Amino acid sequence: MILIIGATGTIGSLLARRLAEGEVPFRALVRRKDVPIEGAETAVADLDEPNSLRGVFAGIDQVFLNTAGTSTDEGPVIAQQKAAIDAAVAAGAEHIIKVSAQGTAPDLPIPFGMHASIERYLTASRLAATVLRPSSFMQNLVGGITTFTEEGEIYDTYCGGAAAYVDARDIADCAYAVLTGRVPRGGVHTLTGPQALTAAEVAAALSTALDRQVGTVQPTYKELEEMYQQLGLAQRFAQQLTAMAKIIAAGGIADVTTAVRDLTGKAPRSLETFITDHREALEKIIPIRHP
């Protein structure tokens, strides 16, 4: 039996759908009873309360671990994922897939350092593990809170840096391939799209595909930090995100890999494919600009 932690998230919901379509039995950890996951057996628990996890992991062979994104304090995320790893070990699970991030390394700002800490803990647990390190998600174009200005311009939060944007559907497909034994377990896999793109290049692709003008707004690092604070983020978190932007601007998540093809047998989806598949949502976000 497979346990999905994060079944309502961007990747987890796509993975749950794949498992349901493939008639693969799985259990989903949820915080409330009224959260239905199609095709899943659901178990109510809270990662902030490790004692609630014991029954959830009973009979589980494999775990997919992907909790909510970074918060104003990385501590709770680290504690939650460590609790899940401990529960998996205690229950005798055979294998865990952890979703990490491209560029992860110790002593770096959120999210890189946070994931590095959890990866080290996972290694020390001696539980068989597969680590997926995706680049920035294409889905952020339709769900990111700081992606577009009111005028429909892309807010370049990577300050000129390129990212090897990956479609979350490809991440889910990679996890599915590993969980169902289509490819061997184990290893660290950096998941990227077919090319690294700057915000200006993303804007150009959107302009062409949607037949409307899409520009970019590139802040200074000071302006970026101030913007995050204006959104209500704590100063320390805003500083961490700005430090992350500096790493990305220097090429921290620009490397392109073949990992998606290696794991799924298919080329990663391109940005153009993503735009086509999400055209309706993008047209609602990006207004037509008249001269």
Side-chain angles (χ1 to χ4, degrees):
M1 174 73 82
I2 296 167
L3 174 66
I4 298 183
I5 299 176
T8 59
T10 301
I11 303 170
S13 60
L14 292 166
L15 174 59
R17 189 179 307 162
R18 284 296 315 272
L19 292 171
E21 290 172 350
E23 298 184 347
V24 179
F26 70 101
R27 183 180 300 160
L29 186 155
V30 295
R31 289 194 175 193
R32 303 190 316 273
K33 292 181 179 180
D34 60 345
V35 179
I37 307 293
E38 184 177 354
E41 169 192 321
T42 57
V44 179
D46 190 335
L47 290 171
D48 291 323
E49 299 179 8
N51 288 337
S52 72
L53 301 177
R54 293 173 184 170
V56 175
F57 283 76
I60 291 298
D61 303 307
Q62 300 190 83
V63 178
F64 174 81
L65 176 60
N66 185 36
T67 57
T70 55
S71 65
T72 55
D73 182 357
E74 63 187 9
V77 178
I78 294 174
Q80 289 171 357
Q81 296 207 8
K82 285 183 176 180
I85 293 167
D86 290 343
V89 172
E94 298 174 358
H95 171 241
I96 189 167
I97 292 182
K98 171 177 164 47
V99 178
S100 185
Q102 183 182 21
T104 288
D107 303 318
L108 292 181
I110 290 173
F112 309 117
M114 177 186 74
H115 284 302
S117 176
I118 299 166
E119 286 186 24
R120 288 197 302 269
Y121 193 82
L122 180 56
T123 299
S125 77
R126 299 190 180 279
L127 185 65
T130 303
V131 176
L132 304 180
R133 291 180 174 177
S135 189
S136 187
F137 300 173
M138 292 181 188
Q139 276 70 11
N140 289 338
L141 286 173
V142 293
I145 61 172
T146 61
T147 303
F148 293 98
T149 67
E150 292 182 1
E151 292 75 26
E153 295 181 309
I154 292 179
Y155 205 90
D156 184 2
T157 55
Y158 294 163
C159 299
Y165 294 98
V166 63
D167 194 314
R169 292 174 293 182
D170 287 325
I171 306 170
D173 288 347
C174 288
Y176 181 84
V178 176
L179 289 169
T180 56
R182 285 164 170 73
V183 292
R185 300 171 179 175
V188 177
H189 307 275
T190 299
L191 309 181
T192 75
Q195 62 185 137
L197 300 167
T198 63
E201 291 169 326
V202 172
L206 288 166
S207 296
T208 298
L210 302 180
D211 193 25
R212 59 189 63 185
Q213 183 181 352
V214 182
T216 62
V217 175
Q218 184 175 324
T220 64
Y221 292 124
K222 181 180 179 181
E223 290 170 340
L224 184 63
E225 183 179 328
E226 291 173 348
M227 181 202 73
Y228 284 132
Q229 290 188 66
Q230 289 169 0
L231 288 171
L233 301 183
Q235 182 178 15
R236 178 181 174 277
F237 190 40
Q239 291 171 342
Q240 289 270 300
L241 291 177
T242 303
M244 177 190 73
K246 293 179 180 179
I247 291 172
I248 296 174
I253 60 171
D255 289 342
V256 174
T257 75
T258 62
V260 169
R261 183 186 290 275
D262 295 341
L263 293 174
T264 68
K266 301 182 297 182
R269 293 171 174 86
S270 66
L271 178 64
E272 288 74 16
T273 296
F274 177 84
I275 294 171
T276 297
D277 293 346
H278 297 81
R279 184 183 185 98
E280 183 177 350
L282 287 165
E283 286 181 337
K284 292 178 180 177
I285 297 169
I286 305 171
I288 296 175
R289 299 170 64 191
H290 300 285

